[in-house]
Amino acid sequence: MKKQRSALHWNRCAASGLFGILLASTSIAVADSENLLRNGSFESGLSDWQVSGDVLVQGDAWEGQHSVRLNPQPNLTAELSQRVTGLEARGRYTIAARIRTSDNLVPPIVGIRDGAQIAKAYGWVAIDDTDRWLERRFEVHVDADATAFEVYLQGWQTGLGATVEFDSVRLWKGRQPPPTPDFGDPPWAGAPRIDVAPNNGDSLLRETGFEDVEGGAWALGINAGIVDSEAGNAMRLLSGPDTSRASQTIAVTLPPDERWTISMEVKTDPDVVASAYFIGSDEFLVTRSFGNEEWETIELEIETADRWVRNGKLILENWKNQPGAAWYRNLSFTARGGEWMATLASPPRRQEDVFFDDFADGTLDPTKWLVSRKAWGGDNGGVAPDNVMLVPDMDEGEPIIALRLEAHGDQYDGELEHNGRRTRVGAAVATRTYHASGRYEVRARVAPEYGTCTAFWPFHYIDHRMGEAAYWHEPNPRRNTEIDWEFPTDLAGADTGNFSFTKARTNSWGGQFGGEGGEHKGRKTLTDENGSVLDLAQEAMDGRYHTFTIEWRSGSDLGDESISRTDVGSVRWLLDGRVVDELHDVEFGQGNVPYRAARFWLGTWFPSAGYAGDVGWTGNPEFDTTAAHIAWVRITPFEEGRDIWVDETVPNLAWAGPDEYPESIDPIDSIEGDLNGDGQVDGADLASLLGHWNTSDQAADIDGSGIVDGADLTRLLSNWSP
């Protein structure tokens, strides 16, 4: 349905109630910023605009009397453009427009070029938004040596016979308040709620008193509704030709050998028998029926016995063809504290201590690590928990326990199947906690076969919703944070398709750009301490481990809220302490250095989307089984001023449960003198020992003599790490 009035016009003429107040406040805030475009509503026809292709002014408008219609042709793009001068070099500006299309496959394109720090354009419309006036806006920075840029509106060449329309094109200096929904439209969704691991006593259900009359956390079925009872809100299920139900999923996984009680007050109309039941994975079921006509409390006893129960759901039900309703109120389902959820806190907790794991106890600790079952990268089966395991190994003559991340190539004929695939299935783990600027070190040997990628990377992403201000800052609502070590690769350009384990990808995605735009794509040749080319595949087959490091300094400005950098961040990639690549952030605008805390990933996966005539950019997976091996991981925080800890959009998606973690193996002895358990004997351990000098501290009493003295110091120094 067409809208002939703008929200601003409606506010002037017919505003009333809360919506009018909200809209007025938004309109006033925007009106305080001058529109720097001339004739942005086309009330003066096409004056001030450069025109090419089939463009005309029409009387069907979003606001005022006129809008502009572009008719793209099979070999001709229709376009309007206007150069805006007198802008502030390095300044931030916001472009906005009303757009409409007759075919979502031909979206109206709003863009800025020729003078912007980064040229940008918005060109996307959902199927359901065809033939509707929509608001589009995003931000752009003026280049350092520019005081002007060009705004353009396009209908890209097509043979579909579609038309695109524009009205109310605006350009303001600075960041603007977000718009509000148009009159009559529902509220825009904000950021989703993040489920986290509960503490003892927390409720495992939301809205146990049915506080949201629209249902909220409860999925309402036929004839299900929330009504006011004499003691607060209640769920009312009315039987009819169809069964009436209401349900709520339980986000956590319930551990084995535990017991919970779900209680609720219930009643029914005469001759009605209703029920409440809890279901979960592997046909888990606990049910209770009732037919009392006065409020009574019933209980469901949940006992998990020897299994983990996933995908729990509480269902309230009044079966069909009964003579009346059933009511439910005051529900209770309390956590015991051992329930499993991948995410620990919302927002993630700041990490200030060193993270270290050398797997020496023979386990992959679920309190530290998550095991992934996701899929990305094209035609592959993703990463499977069964491909994660712990194995004994040797590193420079010393026994270790290594984390083995297995990958199955196109010649794999084993039984493991994941996401419907037996081939091109890898493995990946990630830290359960989030870490920001710091030194990320991985002691590893890569999977030495082409076609699979060994990678180490901090990763975090957000998909902003229209109800969030940041949605309106970029053409694409996604914000990525990612820094990659990836092997093997080519060097791109003239080297395309020349895959080698002597080359690495060193990428950084800054998190300010929408989507994955503006990334630093490093392609580097690897060398040893003598400057000779280093082949990581040969090194891995010879059993040699190397230390891969990412040094991430985020800087000290205010992230996306700041235009200028007060302390420019950087990323360095090091191999055995030698710098392989280095990236420095920009001094203003949008750069490539991240600032949002991220989980740290380790993995073997299959880039299988096609590349240079091969399966992917690591080559063709013409092998049976290969694996990367991880000796230890250390993350040392830098605690820079720009670091922030914010939620990902779906941080709990596709992780294995603790019962799917690899089997433990026999541990190895710890390093004598490693008092802080970080895998090495160094100054921190010496300081700890000296701090307990002449005491009976058991941790520092290395020789077990009952006193911390010179004998303990001698044994510590004998294992001093190089």
Side-chain angles (χ1 to χ4, degrees):
M1 182 176 66
K2 297 180 180 178
K3 292 185 177 178
Q4 304 298 331
R5 294 285 188 267
S6 71
L8 179 59
H9 184 87
W10 179 86
N11 182 50
R12 290 170 177 166
C13 300
S16 62
L18 178 60
F19 183 84
I21 294 170
L22 292 173
L23 187 56
S25 64
T26 301
S27 300
I28 291 169
V30 171
D32 287 341
S33 297
E34 178 187 1
N35 185 2
L36 302 178
L37 276 169
R38 301 177 303 278
N39 189 28
S41 290
F42 307 102
E43 296 305 298
S44 299
L46 295 175
S47 64
D48 297 305
W49 292 91
Q50 297 295 315
V51 180
S52 64
D54 188 353
V55 178
L56 59 89
V57 175
Q58 61 182 11
D60 184 4
W62 164 257
E63 179 181 24
Q65 301 300 313
H66 300 106
S67 67
V68 67
R69 186 174 75 201
L70 284 64
N71 301 299
Q73 305 300 315
N75 296 305
L76 182 62
T77 295
E79 178 179 285
L80 293 168
S81 64
Q82 183 177 144
R83 188 149 189 87
V84 184
T85 61
L87 304 178
E88 177 185 329
R90 301 191 177 198
R92 175 190 281 161
Y93 291 81
T94 300
I95 182 71
R98 286 287 175 165
I99 61 103
R100 185 166 66 178
T101 180
S102 63
D103 188 335
N104 74 292
L105 297 178
V106 187
I109 299 171
V110 181
I112 294 181
R113 62 194 177 196
D114 297 341
Q117 181 196 35
I118 301 166
K120 298 180 183 179
Y122 200 133
W124 180 82
V125 172
I127 294 176
D128 293 342
D129 285 332
T130 300
D131 290 323
R132 295 186 61 226
W133 282 109
L134 306 170
E135 175 80 355
R136 292 289 185 260
R137 63 171 65 184
F138 59 88
E139 298 175 352
V140 68
H141 295 81
V142 182
D143 215 346
D145 58 356
T147 57
F149 55 52
E150 187 173 72
V151 174
Y152 64 94
L153 315 174
Q154 283 183 342
W156 193 255
Q157 60 187 35
T158 179
L160 293 177
T163 61
V164 300
E165 299 157 276
F166 298 89
D167 197 5
S168 190
V169 188
R170 293 142 285 157
L171 178 70
W172 303 293
K173 187 178 187 301
R175 172 161 288 172
Q176 300 298 310
T180 55
D182 291 335
F183 177 57
D185 285 351
W188 290 328
R193 178 182 182 272
I194 304 300
D195 292 306
V196 301
N199 297 313
N200 184 18
D202 289 347
S203 177
L204 296 178
L205 285 171
R206 296 166 55 194
E207 299 173 23
T208 56
F210 305 109
E211 295 84 359
D212 187 343
V213 296
E214 300 297 325
W218 292 90
L220 303 183
I222 297 171
N223 293 331
I226 296 173
V227 299
D228 186 15
S229 72
E230 62 271 24
N233 286 354
M235 178 69 71
R236 177 177 181 269
L237 304 180
L238 179 62
S239 180
D242 298 295
T243 298
S244 182
R245 296 186 182 93
S247 64
Q248 183 177 152
T249 57
I250 309 302
V252 299
T253 297
L254 303 180
D257 301 318
E258 290 285 2
R259 180 174 179 171
W260 298 259
T261 299
I262 302 176
S263 70
M264 64 193 75
E265 295 178 35
V266 299
K267 72 173 184 176
T268 68
D269 285 343
D271 300 320
V272 171
V273 177
S275 64
Y277 55 99
F278 182 84
I279 61 174
S281 56
D282 299 324
E283 300 181 346
F284 187 88
L285 172 65
V286 177
T287 184
R288 175 74 184 270
S289 298
F290 59 93
N292 45 285
E293 297 178 24
E294 300 295 330
W295 287 108
E296 294 182 9
T297 298
I298 66 169
E299 294 181 340
L300 280 70
E301 298 294 338
I302 310 298
E303 297 184 32
T304 51
D306 60 351
R307 57 176 167 170
W308 290 79
V309 176
R310 300 175 177 80
N311 307 318
K313 180 185 288 188
L314 177 62
I315 302 172
L316 315 178
E317 183 175 272
N318 188 2
W319 194 251
K320 63 184 177 181
N321 298 322
Q322 298 200 80
W327 283 268
Y328 307 75
R329 71 184 186 191
N330 297 332
L331 278 66
S332 174
F333 187 7
T334 303
R336 300 181 62 87
E339 298 82 4
W340 171 257
M341 175 58 64
T343 301
L344 294 168
S346 173
R349 298 188 186 103
R350 181 177 293 270
Q351 301 298 310
E352 299 175 345
D353 297 329
V354 173
F355 175 99
F356 178 79
D357 199 352
D358 62 359
F359 318 107
D361 63 355
T363 65
L364 185 66
D365 187 348
T367 68
K368 289 183 176 182
W369 295 100
L370 299 173
V371 177
S372 178
R373 53 169 72 255
K374 298 179 184 178
W376 67 90
D379 181 20
N380 65 64
V383 291
D386 285 344
N387 277 351
V388 178
M389 56 201 77
L390 293 157
V391 296
D393 203 1
M394 301 289 289
D395 181 13
E396 295 186 339
E398 295 293 330
I400 65 169
I401 291 178
L403 177 67
R404 177 180 169 91
L405 302 175
E406 194 166 283
H408 298 162
D410 284 353
Q411 297 175 14
Y412 175 76
D413 61 358
E415 296 182 357
L416 178 64
E417 182 176 311
H418 186 64
N419 289 336
R421 291 287 300 264
R422 292 194 177 188
T423 60
R424 303 183 193 174
V425 177
V429 300
T431 57
R432 199 175 179 193
T433 47
Y434 288 77
H435 303 264
S437 65
R439 180 179 296 107
Y440 294 70
E441 299 171 275
V442 182
R443 181 75 174 172
R445 52 190 180 95
V446 306
E449 299 286 349
Y450 290 106
T452 189
C453 172
T454 301
F456 319 122
W457 71 106
F459 181 74
H460 179 285
Y461 80 92
I462 299 171
D463 281 327
H464 285 299
R465 314 293 179 86
M466 293 177 71
E468 300 176 87
Y471 176 93
W472 304 95
H473 297 166
E474 285 287 297
N476 189 315
R478 175 162 291 186
R479 306 292 184 273
N480 271 23
T481 291
E482 182 174 353
I483 304 172
D484 300 321
W485 261 125
E486 295 179 314
F487 326 89
T489 187
D490 57 17
L491 298 181
D495 188 58
T496 299
N498 185 16
F499 312 112
S500 174
F501 280 92
T502 66
K503 303 160 188 172
R505 291 191 171 206
T506 53
N507 304 321
S508 182
W509 323 74
Q512 296 166 296
F513 301 91
E516 297 181 346
E519 66 275 8
H520 166 79
K521 290 183 177 179
R523 304 290 185 268
K524 297 296 179 179
T525 298
L526 304 173
T527 57
D528 62 17
E529 64 274 13
N530 300 315
S532 301
V533 172
L534 184 67
D535 188 323
L536 291 179
Q538 188 60 54
E539 293 289 293
M541 288 185 286
D542 290 342
R544 284 191 285 271
Y545 281 77
H546 293 273
T547 303
F548 302 90
T549 303
I550 294 170
E551 286 189 352
W552 167 18
R553 296 193 176 276
S554 62
S556 64
D557 69 277
L558 300 177
D560 191 41
E561 296 301 320
S562 178
I563 296 175
S564 298
R565 303 285 184 273
T566 56
D567 181 12
V568 173
S570 64
V571 180
R572 298 201 308 166
W573 293 261
L574 301 94
L575 173 58
D576 295 331
R578 302 180 300 277
V579 176
V580 173
D581 195 9
E582 192 167 11
L583 165 69
H584 292 274
D585 208 359
V586 296
E587 294 180 356
F588 78 98
Q590 294 177 299
N592 310 120
V593 175
Y595 56 91
R596 297 182 183 95
R599 283 173 168 147
F600 187 46
W601 286 67
L602 319 167
T604 53
W605 64 281
F606 288 84
S608 306
Y611 178 84
D614 295 281
V615 168
W617 50 260
T618 56
N620 301 315
E622 297 171 351
F623 63 89
D624 180 346
T625 299
T626 188
H629 292 78
I630 313 298
W632 52 259
V633 179
R634 182 188 294 115
I635 304 172
T636 306
F638 290 162
E639 299 185 65
E640 304 234 317
R642 196 182 181 201
D643 296 344
I644 64 171
W645 272 258
V646 293
D647 286 321
E648 291 190 87
T649 299
V650 284
N652 295 312
L653 179 67
W655 301 109
D659 55 328
E660 299 174 281
Y661 277 50
E663 292 184 4
S664 298
I665 65 173
D666 292 336
I668 60 172
D669 294 333
S670 60
I671 303 173
E672 190 173 69
D674 179 18
L675 303 186
N676 63 1
D678 67 353
Q680 60 185 4
V681 180
D682 56 14
D685 304 298
L686 177 60
S688 178
L689 185 143
L690 295 177
H692 294 93
W693 195 262
N694 283 332
T695 73
S696 58
D697 182 80
Q698 291 183 354
D701 180 19
I702 298 172
D703 65 356
S705 67
I707 187 74
V708 180
D709 56 16
D712 302 299
L713 175 61
T714 299
R715 294 179 71 159
L716 183 148
L717 295 176
S718 67
N719 288 317
W720 194 264
S721 299

